[in-house]
Amino acid sequence: MDIRKITAAAAAFAMLCMAASCSSEGKKSSTKNTHKAASEPVSESVEGVDANDAVDAVSGDAYLAIADEGFNVQYLGDKDENKSNQLSYDAGIAHIKGNGDYTVSVTADTNGFRYDTTGDINGEFVVKGLGFAAVIIDDAEKTMPNAVITVKGIKVDGKDIELKKKSYTNTESGSVRANIFNEWVSDDSIPADAKCAEGALFNNGDSASPSDINDGGYSAQIVSRDDFAQWKNVEVNFSVSGLE
């Protein structure tokens, strides 16, 4: 199922975070999302807000999917319809043309974000905490199924933060992704199709049979929430391999 067809923010993150590999028992995400979608999209007539600055990732584009700790503000690769993707304004996406290094980003320092969250382009809204983050290549299950994403570095407000574990790549909801922070996937429930630049993490797609590459250092939670206590800008540097 394509999360772009889900209009409610809560439903979108329920699908994004709780797909096949994210369904650990006893975990539920829908109760955490308290953001209420507005009844109308941001108008291009709002002085100081240009709706064209909202970025919509298309097939083959990589983007940073992210939400704050309360799932009140987010970016899911879509434009800001119904104020449900407030971080879409000036979001940095990367069209994947082959193997190489790329960067994706989001920023809360835009008039569109401030208007969405406060009703005033001069208002102030402090983004707090981290509820979810991943690098996602849109539609890549069809267009580049062999792509491997390796997260190499993350900056929060211009400061490099520590990567506590190694990222892996898997396929979900028609896209290829590398989780940065996904609490619904524990280290002992990594999906069977997980892979890294060196190869598959499991033999023959059997989650009960880790490969020699799988040294226990791979995780869906490669950062600490402490590094996202309050933030305005997040930038992720990553490489793509596995493409001819």
Side-chain angles (χ1 to χ4, degrees):
M1 182 178 293
D2 187 344
I3 60 173
R4 295 173 183 280
K5 296 181 180 179
I6 303 174
T7 57
F13 259 104
M15 288 299 298
L16 187 64
C17 299
M18 298 186 69
S21 69
C22 302
S23 58
S24 56
E25 294 184 359
K27 293 275 190 175
K28 295 184 180 179
S29 66
S30 59
T31 58
K32 288 191 174 184
N33 192 341
T34 58
H35 177 69
K36 302 295 185 181
S39 58
E40 297 180 358
V42 173
S43 171
E44 294 186 24
S45 65
V46 175
E47 186 175 358
V49 178
D50 187 348
N52 292 321
D53 290 340
V55 178
D56 185 23
V58 298
S59 180
D61 285 346
Y63 62 94
L64 174 58
I66 193 168
D68 70 343
E69 64 183 3
F71 292 85
N72 296 307
V73 298
Q74 63 189 24
Y75 181 53
L76 297 180
D78 293 316
K79 284 193 173 184
D80 190 40
E81 296 179 359
N82 299 317
K83 298 185 180 179
S84 61
N85 278 279
Q86 310 93 327
L87 290 164
S88 63
Y89 293 94
D90 290 343
I93 63 174
H95 189 70
I96 306 303
K97 298 179 179 179
N99 296 332
D101 295 329
Y102 298 90
T103 301
V104 289
S105 62
V106 295
T107 179
D109 191 15
T110 66
N111 286 348
F113 176 85
R114 286 185 285 268
Y115 179 79
D116 274 5
T117 52
T118 70
D120 184 345
I121 64 171
N122 296 309
E124 182 176 355
F125 184 97
V126 178
V127 185
K128 296 181 179 180
L130 183 65
F132 175 81
V135 175
I136 296 178
I137 305 177
D138 190 73
D139 200 35
E141 184 176 17
K142 292 189 298 184
T143 61
M144 54 187 85
N146 296 322
V148 178
I149 301 167
T150 303
V151 176
K152 301 174 70 175
I154 299 175
K155 291 184 178 181
V156 177
D157 292 335
K159 179 183 177 181
D160 289 311
I161 65 170
E162 179 185 1
L163 301 184
K164 296 185 173 297
K165 291 200 172 184
K166 296 179 287 187
S167 66
Y168 63 84
T169 298
N170 71 296
T171 301
E172 289 182 17
S173 302
S175 297
V176 169
R177 72 153 78 175
N179 284 310
I180 293 170
F181 186 85
N182 188 337
E183 66 178 333
W184 290 275
V185 183
S186 62
D187 288 353
D188 59 2
S189 63
I190 291 175
D193 69 333
K195 56 189 176 183
C196 65
E198 289 73 31
L201 297 190
F202 298 98
N203 296 313
N204 302 315
D206 181 358
S207 60
S209 178
S211 67
D212 292 339
I213 297 170
N214 193 345
D215 58 4
Y218 295 90
S219 179
Q221 302 169 41
I222 67 171
V223 297
S224 169
R225 274 178 161 164
D226 293 342
D227 290 320
F228 293 81
Q230 294 185 4
W231 55 271
K232 184 173 290 185
N233 302 292
V234 180
E235 178 182 283
V236 179
N237 297 307
F238 65 98
S239 65
V240 172
S241 57
L243 303 178
E244 296 182 355

